[in-house]
Amino acid sequence: DHGNAMVGARNPLAPPLAIEWDGETATATGTLGPAYEGPPHHVHGGIIAAVLDQVAGSVPARLGKPGLTAYLNTTYRRPTLLGRELVCSAWVERVDGWKTFVRGDIRDDQGRVTAEVEALFVVPRWAREHVSTPAADAIDVPSAGEETPGSSTP
């Protein structure tokens, strides 16, 4: 586990994101409570963008191209209420070399889109020599007792 601001046990304020996979589509279901409030009774827009970035960013990592966010265009369709089950999904739109274009959305407990994202993730030049095989991301952290390839247990 690492100290990612959006996932992981090291951050007590990380949103409850457990990403599941259906092919190349990532889906995280969870409820955001008062710690994520912006306008009264609503999720802060920055948190919405951060959740979309985390889920969308897991898609290229799953493809073996863990890139940095080049852009994250977020469109807010309706207010996102606190305390409701939300479903955030992201999928590959297209891949062009070291670039992965991803789309996604957040839906409320009635299936209505509250926010949409169009994002580009790029594997930077300095990292390309290290990305010949899929690499782990926060989505891929082994369970307790499992070893990551290439790691050693003290």
Side-chain angles (χ1 to χ4, degrees):
D1 193 10
H2 57 79
N4 184 314
M6 294 304 294
V7 294
R10 292 187 198 173
N11 182 356
L13 289 179
L17 297 178
I19 297 174
E20 296 182 6
W21 293 93
D22 181 9
E24 293 179 353
T25 300
T27 302
T29 303
T31 302
L32 298 174
Y36 310 103
E37 188 171 34
H41 311 291
H42 294 87
V43 180
H44 189 285
I47 297 298
I48 292 168
V51 167
L52 286 164
D53 184 41
Q54 183 65 37
V55 176
S58 68
V59 174
R62 176 82 168 199
L63 299 176
K65 296 183 179 197
L68 302 178
T69 308
Y71 66 73
L72 185 82
N73 296 331
T74 306
T75 303
Y76 299 91
R77 296 290 181 194
R78 65 183 331 110
T80 303
L81 294 172
L82 291 171
R84 304 285 176 91
E85 184 172 83
L86 303 173
V87 177
C88 182
S89 298
W91 54 91
V92 174
E93 183 175 48
R94 67 186 167 93
V95 176
D96 181 8
W98 294 104
K99 299 176 184 178
T100 305
F101 297 82
V102 178
R103 295 184 74 83
D105 61 35
I106 294 179
R107 293 177 183 265
D108 65 16
D109 57 347
Q110 296 179 20
R112 299 176 301 189
V113 174
T114 66
E116 295 174 317
V117 70
E118 177 184 329
L120 168 62
F121 299 91
V122 179
V123 178
R125 284 186 181 91
W126 54 264
R128 293 177 186 172
E129 67 187 69
H130 305 290
V131 187
S132 59
T133 59
D137 187 29
I139 60 160
D140 233 358
V141 175
S143 302
E146 291 183 35
E147 277 193 16
T148 304
S151 71
S152 60
T153 306

